[in-house]
Amino acid sequence: MADSEKVLKQLLSNRRIRKDKDVEELYLSDKSLTEVCDLQRFRYLRRLWLNGNKLRQLNCLSENYQLSEVYLHNNELVDITGALRHLTCLQVLMLHNNQLTKLDRILTEINKMQSLKTLNLFNNPVAQESGYRLFVVHSVPSVELLDRKEVLKSERDKARKIYNQEQEKIRDTIAFGRRSDGPPLPVYNPLDIHIPVRTDPGDIGNSYLRDCMPNEDPEEAVNARRLNKSIAVYTSFDWSKVPRVKARRTAEEMFDSPEIITHVYR
């Protein structure tokens, strides 16, 4: 602790800062620090550079709630549990080039940061996990730039389909019926169709009785009316045989796609 306090005191002296409330930025990068003293006295601190040191743990930001940018890359961090969760104003978080191995713990630490736009986790063991990027996109939806690459809409859609199946099931089953134009037309052999030749000009014109002959049998009339009604088709997915998110992340075998169920109503 003495080393970090000495560095901090020298930094404030060089910048001629006498009051803690005037400190909005701290540059403590590349100082070979293994620990950092608690910075809670800098209540208005907004940007902090701790990159390029030898930090393995982080416990110096207990009450720095106004931090918007934190640079922790190029350290030796193995865990950040409990260190950042309360920093809900963070917009930029740099954690690349460390030794972070627990992706679930990292995302639990940052998934409440609704203002977080830029996040770097590359060159950590967690970035080698299968499905890492989509899982981060799903867990921290506010992120727009992940590992120096823009988060695309197609990635968000794919992540939602994989990790939020209940919502997708509702989207696929509610109010998505489509109407057809009616039953398929019968197929006729052109050779069997007899077209009468009209010789009387008076026979040409509209005639309801000629074009819509009444049915002698009431049952035939009902069937004819039923065939003229339109058809509504509803399609949904059966998710009951698809494993949930946690089971998929730990499963070694591939799982089947959901079965498509189609309902037809007239």
Side-chain angles (χ1 to χ4, degrees), residues 120-236:
N120 277 356
L121 288 170
F122 63 91
N123 287 351
N124 279 284
V126 295
Q128 305 301 320
E129 292 189 18
S130 177
Y132 147 79
R133 183 173 176 87
L134 290 180
F135 191 41
V136 174
V137 169
H138 166 73
S139 302
V140 194
S142 62
V143 169
E144 299 176 354
L145 193 66
L146 175 60
D147 293 342
R148 300 183 295 190
K149 293 182 180 179
E150 180 183 0
V151 177
L152 304 177
K153 182 180 181 299
S154 59
E155 292 179 309
R156 297 189 189 278
D157 294 340
K158 188 174 181 180
R160 186 178 63 248
K161 290 180 180 180
I162 295 175
Y163 297 108
N164 201 347
Q165 293 186 359
E166 291 299 326
Q167 180 181 353
E168 285 301 299
K169 182 178 180 180
I170 295 174
R171 289 166 60 92
D172 291 335
T173 56
I174 293 182
F176 280 87
R178 58 182 187 274
R179 299 179 67 84
S180 68
D181 295 331
L185 297 176
V187 178
Y188 296 101
N189 186 346
L191 299 179
D192 295 336
I193 299 177
H194 175 67
I195 303 177
V197 179
R198 295 180 177 179
T199 57
D200 184 7
D203 191 39
I204 300 176
N206 296 327
S207 174
Y208 176 81
L209 293 178
R210 182 192 64 204
D211 298 334
C212 304
M213 297 297 294
N215 297 93
E216 296 181 359
D217 187 353
E219 183 175 354
E220 292 181 359
V222 171
N223 290 334
R225 182 179 180 84
R226 179 174 60 84
L227 291 175
N228 287 329
K229 295 181 66 177
S230 61
I231 297 176
V233 181
Y234 296 85
T235 302
S236 62

Side-chain angles (χ1 to χ4, degrees), residues 100-129:
L100 300 171
T101 59
K102 303 294 184 180
L103 182 58
D104 290 341
R105 292 185 182 180
I106 296 172
L107 297 179
T108 300
E109 194 70 17
I110 66 177
N111 61 5
K112 302 300 182 182
M113 300 177 182
Q114 299 182 4
S115 300
L116 188 61
K117 303 297 183 184
T118 303
L119 174 65
N120 277 356
L121 288 170
F122 63 91
N123 287 351
N124 279 284
V126 295
Q128 305 301 320
E129 292 189 18

